[in-house]
Amino acid sequence: MEKILEQTLLYDFYGELLTEHQKAVYSDVVFNDYSLSEVAEEYDISRQGVHDLIKRCNAILTGYEDKLHLVEKFMDAKKMVGEINDLTKKFFDTGDSECVRRIDEISNDMLKIF
Amino acid sequence: MEKILEQTLLYDFYGELLTEHQKAVYSDVVFNDYSLSEVAEEYDISRQGVHDLIKRCNAILTGYEDKLHLVEKFMDAKKMVGEINDLTKKFFDTGDSECVRRIDEISNDMLKIF
């Protein structure tokens, strides 16, 4: 997975477990694309301090995913919902009820995972 | 929600964030239905100690959900997958393509939430 996408997902899921300060600095660097120097000045810390904080936050967020695997679980579910959505389009294109049979199968599998 | 169901869900989602000791004691009391006295003896702690540990674990698990709302998110998704599954059955009973239109709508909504 691309690093920025992975960071976004991890932050979406576990970001609330960071401190307010960590969230603010992390967001500015990773999502708002400020430079380390700009952020260092803004929060009155050293560039190295900003760098260490980002590294630490990435480790914290990855640590939660390593234990809980909830991003992974959600991504699997999202993929299956995408398949269901494609199958409804295919049904309206072709009228093939096999599409609905497959939707039934996927939704059954999902209910087992959940 | 019933307390035991709620505890099970919270433990399923966030249990790995407890220590090994907390997990062992918590599981024995909450899921394996041992008495406080039995567990106290097994782990060589007081009954009050077991009681406090359970209370503390419930607070930790609830604290994670209050911040992350991932159980809530999953429950919402599960409900929607259940509806999709019901609609496939209804389609095979009635042949009504309105069922597939509704599946399309629900899966679109889910892709927006995810």
Side-chain angles (χ1 to χ4, degrees):
Chain A
M1 208 184 293
E2 244 188 286
K3 189 164 170 66
I4 181 68
L5 175 60
E6 193 186 327
Q7 283 177 312
T8 306
L9 278 169
L10 290 173
Y11 187 84
D12 274 354
F13 273 75
Y14 307 118
E16 286 306 315
L17 300 176
L18 301 174
T19 67
E20 289 306 314
H21 177 66
Q22 286 173 328
K23 283 195 283 180
V25 177
Y26 192 84
S27 300
D28 276 352
V29 175
V30 178
F31 306 123
N32 305 332
D33 223 19
Y34 288 106
S35 70
L36 292 192
S37 308
E38 286 170 307
V39 175
E41 196 176 329
E42 166 78 19
Y43 294 95
D44 200 20
I45 43 182
S46 66
R47 281 183 83 258
Q48 184 63 42
V50 178
H51 180 265
D52 291 346
L53 184 146
I54 300 300
K55 209 170 148 181
R56 171 99 186 100
C57 287
N58 279 331
I60 292 172
L61 297 173
T62 307
Y64 281 117
E65 178 61 8
D66 286 346
K67 285 194 171 170
L68 305 184
H69 307 286
L70 294 174
V71 174
E72 186 189 334
K73 221 169 155 181
F74 256 98
M75 286 305 102
D76 288 347
K78 186 177 181 163
K79 198 173 153 226
M80 291 165 105
V81 174
E83 283 176 43
I84 288 174
N85 199 258
D86 290 344
L87 284 160
T88 61
K89 314 289 186 236
K90 196 174 165 199
F91 173 81
F92 285 116
D93 283 346
T94 64
D96 185 356
S97 64
E98 170 63 18
C99 299
V100 185
R101 202 200 52 72
R102 183 76 190 112
I103 291 172
D104 182 53
E105 208 169 70
I106 296 171
S107 57
N108 268 326
D109 286 347
M110 289 184 81
L111 289 173
K112 269 177 229 154
I113 296 170
F114 278 4
Chain B
M1 207 183 291
E2 243 188 286
K3 189 164 171 67
I4 181 69
L5 175 61
E6 194 185 328
Q7 284 177 311
T8 306
L9 278 168
L10 290 171
Y11 188 84
D12 275 354
F13 273 74
Y14 307 117
E16 287 306 313
L17 301 175
L18 301 175
T19 66
E20 289 306 314
H21 177 66
Q22 285 173 329
K23 283 196 284 182
V25 176
Y26 193 83
S27 300
D28 276 352
V29 175
V30 178
F31 306 123
N32 304 333
D33 224 19
Y34 288 105
S35 71
L36 293 191
S37 308
E38 285 170 310
V39 174
E41 196 176 329
E42 167 76 19
Y43 294 95
D44 200 18
I45 43 181
S46 65
R47 281 182 83 255
Q48 184 63 41
V50 178
H51 181 265
D52 291 347
L53 184 147
I54 300 301
K55 211 170 146 180
R56 172 98 186 101
C57 288
N58 279 330
I60 293 171
L61 297 172
T62 306
Y64 281 117
E65 178 61 8
D66 286 346
K67 286 194 171 169
L68 305 184
H69 307 286
L70 295 173
V71 173
E72 187 188 333
K73 223 169 156 182
F74 255 99
M75 287 303 102
D76 288 348
K78 186 177 181 164
K79 199 174 152 227
M80 291 164 104
V81 174
E83 283 176 43
I84 288 174
N85 198 258
D86 290 344
L87 284 159
T88 60
K89 314 289 186 236
K90 197 173 164 198
F91 173 81
F92 285 115
D93 283 346
T94 64
D96 184 357
S97 65
E98 169 64 18
C99 298
V100 185
R101 202 200 53 71
R102 183 73 191 114
I103 291 173
D104 182 52
E105 208 168 70
I106 296 171
S107 57
N108 268 326
D109 287 346
M110 288 184 81
L111 289 173
K112 268 178 231 155
I113 297 171
F114 278 4

